[in-house]
Amino acid sequence: MDGIGEGSNGYGGDDALDRLLDEAGLNRSVAEIRALVEGVNAAPRGTDPDAWLGLFDRQRLTDPLRLQLKALRDELARAADAKDAPDHAARLAALRAELSRRGLAGFVVPRSDEHQGEYVPARADRLAWISGFTGSAGLAIVMLDQAAIFVDGRYTLQVQAEVSASQFQYKHLTDDPHAEWAASVLPQGGRLGYDPWLHTVGWVERMRSVLARTGADLQACPDNPIDAVWPDQPPTPLAPVVPHDLRYAGKPASEKLGDVAASLRSEGQAAVVLTQPDSIAWLLNIRGADVPHTPLPLSFAIVDDEGKADLFIDRRKLVPGLDEHLGNRVSIRDPGELGAALDALGADPAVKVRVDPATSAAWIFDRLLLAKAKVERGADPTALPKARKNEVELEGTRAAHLRDAVAVARFLAWLSRTAPDGNLGEIEAAARLKELRREGDLFRDLSFETISGAGPNGAIVHYRVSEKTERRLAPGSLYLIDSGAQYLDGTTDITRTVAVGVPTAEMREHFTLVLKGHIALATARFPRGTTGSQLDCLARMALWQKGLDYDHGTGHGVGTYLSVHEGPQRISKVANTVALEPGMIVSNEPGYYRTGAYGIRIENLIAVRECPDLPEAERPMLSFETLTLAPIDLALVEPALLSPSEIAWLNAYHAWVRDSLSGRLDSETEQWLLVATDSITS
C-alpha cells in the first residue's frame, strides 16, 4: 500500500498520540482521531497519500504529531488488509439466515449506494462482498435456496472469472431480466426484500408491478440485511472536501444557487432535493475524494426557492476554512438530519418539492410522501447547467487536454519502441501512462481505471487487467488502451488502438471503417434541437455497410474535474430527448470488436459549439470542436477506403496535433511525432 511506514518509525501508542494532540492544542480525543482515520482509510488513497492531513489545522500540526497520525493510519490500514480470503459460501449462508429471521424469501443486492452513482465507496460495495463480482454494473438476487447474478454484455467473461457458478447462476440483464426471474422463483405470497436507499423509485414501481402478477410482494427493509452480517464492513469514507477555485469553476456558487432558485420559482416549487454528489460539487464549487477516480464529496442537499441550501455532510471531512468558502447561503447539517428536514417539507401541504426520479433513492420519495409533502417529479435543475460548460470551464478543459496530450504522446512513442519485442505486458503499459500523466501540472488522479487490452482482451469492452488475465503485447496483434485523467481544470478520456508490428489487411480494414465513423461524427453539422441519438448512426454507417456494428454507445457526456461519465446528454442508439447544446462535452468513440481476436476503438472528446461558417444556413446550426490531441495509428489506416474529405480531415487533425505539441516534447518523442502525424494520400 502506498505510503505505509513512509517518514515514520511506527505508531507510538494512544497515550503518545494523546500527549501530542494536547501539546498541539487540538481538542480531539484519541477515539475521535481513530474514527476519523478509519474513515480516511475507507476512501481511496489517491495520488497524494497525505492530503487527508488537510483535515487538521496545519498551523497546529507539529512534525511529531503529523508523523504519528500517518503511522496510525498505516497501522489501521495494515489491520484492515490482514483478512482471510473471502468465503462467499459462508457469507451467503449468513445472509440467508438473516433473511429467514426477517421472514424474507429473498433479497436484491444492486451495485449501488445511496446516491446511485457509478463509483461506490468500499462500505457500499455489497455486491462484491456477497458474490466477488467487482464490475461497475450488476445486480444479484439471493433467495433462500438459490441465487443469481445479472450483468450486461460487458461483463459476461468477468463474472464467470470472479463469481462461483456453484453459488450463483449467471444471467444477462437484458436477455433474462431480473424482475422476471425473481417472479418465476418466488413462492406465492413470498416477500422479496430490498434496500430503498439503493434503488430509484422507478425501479421499485417496475419491480413491484412484475411481482404483483405472480402474487409475490416487494418489501422495503428498514436496514440492509447484508450490513447485519458484514462484521468488518468499512466505515463511511472521510476524504477531505476542499474548495474548487473560481478560476477553474468560472461561476460563483452564489450565482448557481440563484439560478436553481429561479428554476424552482418558474415551476412554483419551494425546494429541490439534490442526491447526486457531482451536482452538489458543481453547484457549491467544492470537490472531494470519497470514491475512486471522481472528486466527489458524498452528500445530500436541499435548495430552496430563495437560493439557500442545506448541505448534509459529515463535518469531519471539511477542511478548515470551507465554511467561509460556502458562505452564509449554505448551512452545514449532519447527514442524520436529512430525514427530519424532509419531514419539515411536508409541514405545509401547499409546498411543492422537486425530486429527480431518475437519480434519487426511493427512500427519499418514501420519506417525503410519509410526511404528506407534495412531491413533483422533475429533472435535477443542475444537470443541464452543469453539462453546458462556461467559457472558463471550456478553456480549462482545452488546457487539460493539451497537458494530457504531452503524456499520451510520450507514452505512444515509448510504446512504439518497447512493444515490438513482445515482452511488454498490459499492466506495465498502463502503469507507464499513469506515471507520465502524474508529471503534468494540476494532475489529481486517473478519471477511471485504465482499460489496457492486448489481442483478445481488447475485444472485451470494459476489460480490467489483472495478474490472472494479463497478456503480452504480441507482435502482429492490436493493443487497445482507453484511459483518462482528472486535472483541476478538466477531465480527459481517450482511446487509441495501436498495431504491434505489422497488422493484417483485415485489421486495417476494420480500423479504417471505425475511423470513417469517427470522422463522420467529428465533422457533423446539425440544427439546434438535435439529440445524440439522432446523430449516432453517423458513427456506425461505414460499419453497417459491411454488416458490422458495436454494442456500446457512441458517446457519453464528460464533466470538468468531475465525472468522466456525465449526463444528461449522450450519443447512443438508445432514445434520448436531451438536445445537444453549446458547451456540452461528449465522447466520440465508435469501435469494432472481434471476439477472441482484437478490439478497435478510436475515442476523442468533442465539445458542442455554434456553427458560424454557414452564411446561407436557414436555421441555427451546431458542430463539434475536437478537444483530444493524439496521433491515430497510420499503420492501421487503409487510405483506399477513405474519401478525399476524410483524408483531408485526418491530415488536418494530425497537423493540429503536431503544431500544438511542438516544443513541448523531448527530442526523441518529437521525432516520433513527426512520423506519426505525417500526411497521407489516397
Side-chain angles (χ1 to χ4, degrees):
M1 181 177 290
D2 291 346
I4 292 289
E6 180 184 348
S8 171
N9 293 319
Y11 183 54
D14 288 358
D15 290 342
L17 178 59
D18 188 49
R19 176 178 53 81
L20 290 170
L21 289 168
D22 186 60
E23 291 175 354
L26 291 173
N27 187 26
R28 298 195 188 186
S29 69
V30 171
E32 290 173 329
I33 295 298
R34 279 184 165 270
L36 173 68
V37 173
E38 286 174 348
V40 168
N41 279 341
R45 186 164 283 259
T47 56
D48 180 4
D50 294 339
W52 68 283
L53 294 173
L55 295 173
F56 298 88
D57 184 342
R58 289 190 179 272
Q59 292 183 339
R60 297 188 178 189
L61 199 61
T62 63
D63 285 344
L65 176 57
R66 177 176 56 82
L67 291 175
Q68 279 302 289
L69 288 170
K70 292 173 63 177
L72 174 60
R73 181 185 185 186
D74 294 344
E75 180 175 282
L76 293 176
R78 278 192 291 266
D81 287 344
K83 300 174 184 175
D84 295 331
D87 184 343
H88 293 109
R91 293 176 179 181
L92 274 171
L95 176 59
R96 284 174 170 141
E98 180 66 16
L99 297 180
S100 181
R101 186 185 70 79
R102 299 186 184 207
L104 295 173
F107 184 70
V108 184
V109 188
R111 204 266 182 189
S112 61
D113 67 357
E114 297 87 342
H115 308 278
Q116 314 300 313
E118 177 180 5
Y119 291 107
V120 300
R123 175 180 180 79
D125 206 353
R126 298 175 179 90
L127 182 58
W129 185 83
I130 196 66
S131 70
F133 177 67
T134 63
S136 65
L139 176 144
I141 300 179
V142 178
M143 309 297 293
L144 296 180
D145 59 349
Q146 60 183 306
I149 185 165
F150 299 79
V151 299
D152 61 32
R154 298 172 297 174
Y155 296 112
T156 51
L157 297 179
Q158 182 176 332
V159 73
Q160 295 173 33
E162 294 181 336
V163 179
S164 170
S166 65
Q167 296 163 7
F168 287 86
Q169 303 170 40
Y170 306 136
K171 301 288 183 179
H172 193 284
L173 271 171
T174 304
D175 298 341
D176 195 353
H178 62 274
E180 301 291 344
W181 183 85
S184 71
V185 299
L186 277 167
Q188 180 77 18
R191 298 193 304 159
L192 180 67
Y194 74 99
D195 185 339
W197 273 113
L198 306 183
H199 302 274
T200 65
V201 66
W203 178 91
V204 172
E205 291 169 349
R206 291 189 298 272
M207 193 76 175
R208 182 162 283 141
S209 174
V210 172
L211 296 185
R213 297 201 302 263
T214 62
D217 183 39
L218 188 65
Q219 179 75 44
C221 297
D223 61 290
N224 197 300
I226 287 183
D227 298 352
V229 298
W230 188 349
D232 53 355
Q233 185 178 23
T236 302
L238 296 174
V241 181
V242 300
H244 187 53
D245 199 283
L246 187 59
R247 60 180 162 161
Y248 305 127
K251 189 172 185 176
S254 58
E255 291 185 20
K256 296 177 182 179
L257 284 165
D259 291 343
V260 171
S263 171
L264 293 173
R265 291 194 300 270
S266 71
E267 298 291 334
Q269 297 163 344
V272 61
V273 182
L274 299 180
T275 64
Q276 295 280 282
D278 63 326
S279 294
I280 297 167
W282 175 85
L283 178 66
L284 301 181
N285 288 343
I286 57 177
R287 297 295 188 267
D290 284 332
V291 298
H293 305 309
T294 307
L296 299 181
L298 296 181
S299 55
F300 294 91
I302 298 175
V303 182
D304 67 19
D305 58 359
E306 295 180 352
K308 295 180 181 179
D310 285 340
L311 174 62
F312 299 87
I313 194 168
D314 193 323
R315 270 189 172 273
R316 292 178 295 170
K317 61 185 180 183
L318 307 185
V319 299
L322 192 70
D323 300 61
E324 182 179 349
H325 166 78
L326 291 172
N328 58 14
R329 281 177 171 258
V330 181
S331 299
I332 299 171
R333 302 180 63 177
D334 186 88
E337 298 178 38
L338 177 61
L342 296 177
D343 294 343
L345 292 174
D348 185 347
V351 166
K352 299 177 182 178
V353 183
R354 185 192 303 189
V355 188
D356 190 336
T359 58
S360 299
W363 187 93
I364 302 290
F365 283 86
D366 293 346
R367 187 68 179 242
L368 285 168
L369 294 174
L370 190 64
K372 309 299 184 183
K374 192 170 184 178
V375 179
E376 293 198 345
R377 301 186 181 194
D380 180 334
T382 72
L384 275 174
K386 174 164 54 70
R388 295 187 294 245
K389 310 300 183 281
N390 59 51
E391 282 306 314
V392 171
E393 291 173 314
L394 287 171
E395 279 302 314
T397 295
R398 294 183 186 104
H401 275 83
L402 183 56
R403 292 193 303 276
D404 200 61
V406 171
V408 172
R410 293 175 62 194
F411 168 76
L412 292 174
W414 170 82
L415 192 71
S416 71
R417 300 188 299 269
T418 309
D421 64 12
N423 294 320
L424 179 63
E426 296 166 342
I427 294 176
E428 182 184 351
R432 176 61 175 164
L433 180 52
K434 181 179 181 179
E435 177 187 334
L436 292 169
R437 280 191 164 117
R438 286 180 65 139
E439 296 175 9
D441 291 341
L442 306 184
F443 174 83
R444 288 296 178 268
D445 195 1
L446 300 180
S447 55
F448 56 96
E449 201 66 34
T450 298
I451 298 171
S452 176
N457 286 345
I460 303 171
V461 176
H462 277 214
Y463 170 69
R464 181 182 296 181
V465 62
S466 68
E467 292 183 356
K468 291 183 179 180
T469 64
E470 183 181 23
R471 299 181 68 95
R472 300 289 168 183
L473 279 63
S477 70
L478 296 185
Y479 172 60
L480 185 153
I481 182 159
D482 185 347
S483 66
Q486 294 282 10
Y487 300 93
L488 281 176
D489 53 354
T491 300
T492 70
D493 183 3
I494 173 177
T495 307
R496 287 296 181 265
T497 306
V498 179
V500 182
V502 180
T504 65
E506 177 190 270
M507 292 174 179
R508 288 166 58 86
E509 178 186 9
H510 289 155
F511 182 91
T512 307
L513 293 175
V514 172
L515 176 60
K516 288 171 74 71
H518 181 95
I519 295 172
L521 187 58
T523 57
R525 293 172 175 176
F526 48 95
R528 276 186 176 272
T530 301
T531 67
S533 54
Q534 292 174 295
L535 297 180
D536 181 78
C537 64
L538 297 178
R540 301 177 189 270
M541 189 59 66
L543 288 164
W544 284 354
Q545 298 304 309
K546 297 289 185 177
L548 308 174
D549 201 0
Y550 51 94
D551 291 332
H552 56 78
T554 298
H556 55 82
V558 179
T560 50
Y561 190 42
L562 273 176
S563 176
V564 74
H565 296 135
E566 177 182 88
Q569 78 279 14
R570 64 175 181 267
I571 301 174
S572 170
K573 287 180 181 179
V574 179
N576 183 11
T577 60
V578 177
L580 296 172
E581 298 185 42
M584 288 181 171
I585 297 173
V586 292
S587 63
N588 174 4
E589 50 179 311
Y592 172 73
Y593 309 92
R594 172 146 291 188
T595 302
Y598 53 81
I600 296 167
R601 189 158 63 249
I602 305 170
E603 178 185 16
N604 286 345
L605 297 192
I606 52 181
V608 183
R609 64 181 179 184
E610 303 280 356
C611 187
D613 57 339
L614 290 175
E616 298 180 3
E618 296 180 351
R619 60 188 65 190
M621 299 292 288
L622 302 176
S623 60
F624 291 117
E625 170 193 356
T626 296
L627 302 170
T628 306
L629 303 100
I632 293 168
D633 191 357
L634 293 176
L636 284 167
V637 176
E638 179 50 68
L641 297 178
L642 296 177
S643 68
S645 62
E646 290 168 338
I647 290 175
W649 181 92
L650 183 59
N651 287 339
Y653 175 74
H654 276 156
W656 174 60
V657 171
R658 184 171 59 249
D659 294 345
S660 298
L661 296 183
S662 178
R664 300 175 182 270
L665 304 170
D666 59 272
S667 59
E668 190 173 24
T669 304
E670 285 266 16
Q671 290 301 311
W672 169 86
L673 184 65
L674 288 175
V675 176
T677 59
D678 197 13
S679 296
I680 65 170
T681 62
S682 57

